[in-house]
Amino acid sequence: MPTPSMEDYIEQIYILIEEKGYARVSDIAEALSVHPSSVTKMVQKLDKDQYLIYEKYRGLVLTTKGKKIGKRLVYRHDLLEQFMRLIGVEEELIYNDVEGIEHHLSWNAIDRIGDLVQFFEEDESRVEMLRSIQKSNEENGDS
């Protein structure tokens, strides 16, 4: 299993390849706000662990294993953002909240959150009930 740091890199590489068709060390460094030398070290480790194939000065490609994990990591991040919006977290807080929790949840917890999001989205009245509870709690000073 990849470490949280490895997950961040795999996720970002997956996103860059999906968006641009490629991921360069400089693009990864910029996206993750790290030094290119740190990216090179991590990319070499990810190559060694068979998440990607890296050739110096030629770029990198995700292996089937890397693509599968990358897709799952992007799904996890997107689902948690969706969940945060659903429960009414302020938009400007969502990204940092997701970054703070995504590596600390089991895949079982992610699946249950997915079930909960589905439960609310299948019936808009459930979302309206939640908003009503939140409004009431705010008016009563409970939150």
Side-chain angles (χ1 to χ4, degrees):
M1 288 300 294
T3 65
S5 180
M6 291 166 77
E7 286 183 347
D8 286 340
Y9 278 85
I10 294 168
E11 180 180 6
Q12 194 56 58
I13 291 166
Y14 182 88
I15 290 168
L16 285 166
I17 291 173
E18 286 292 302
E19 289 176 355
K20 298 169 79 170
Y22 60 89
R24 298 180 312 202
V25 167
S26 58
D27 298 324
I28 300 163
E30 183 180 337
L32 294 174
S33 301
V34 296
H35 293 287
S37 60
S38 300
V39 174
T40 300
K41 269 188 204 166
M42 179 59 81
V43 164
Q44 290 169 341
K45 179 166 180 35
L46 293 171
D47 179 79
K48 183 174 153 279
D49 292 349
Q50 301 179 333
Y51 292 105
L52 55 79
I53 298 166
Y54 173 65
E55 294 179 31
K56 197 170 183 178
Y57 307 117
R58 299 201 54 174
L60 54 96
V61 292
L62 289 170
T63 61
T64 302
K65 173 182 171 181
K67 285 179 194 170
K68 182 179 176 184
I69 289 175
K71 186 175 184 174
R72 195 162 187 211
L73 295 171
V74 168
Y75 163 78
R76 176 182 70 187
H77 188 98
D78 292 347
L79 176 67
L80 290 172
E81 282 192 1
Q82 188 179 4
F83 175 67
M84 294 290 181
R85 279 187 194 92
L86 180 75
I87 63 172
V89 174
E90 294 173 19
E91 193 64 35
E92 62 273 8
L93 301 175
I94 290 175
Y95 182 81
N96 284 338
D97 284 351
V98 169
E99 286 296 311
I101 66 170
E102 66 183 339
H103 300 295
H104 301 285
L105 296 172
S106 68
W107 285 103
N108 182 259
I110 296 297
D111 290 342
R112 299 301 65 82
I113 289 169
D115 296 341
L116 187 60
V117 168
Q118 181 181 348
F119 172 79
F120 277 98
E121 289 184 341
E122 283 178 352
D123 185 345
E124 186 63 32
S125 70
R126 294 171 181 157
V127 176
E128 291 167 12
M129 287 172 55
L130 176 61
R131 297 286 175 260
S132 175
I133 291 167
Q134 290 170 331
K135 186 176 181 191
S136 175
N137 286 343
E138 286 173 6
E139 288 170 358
N140 295 327
D142 292 342
S143 59

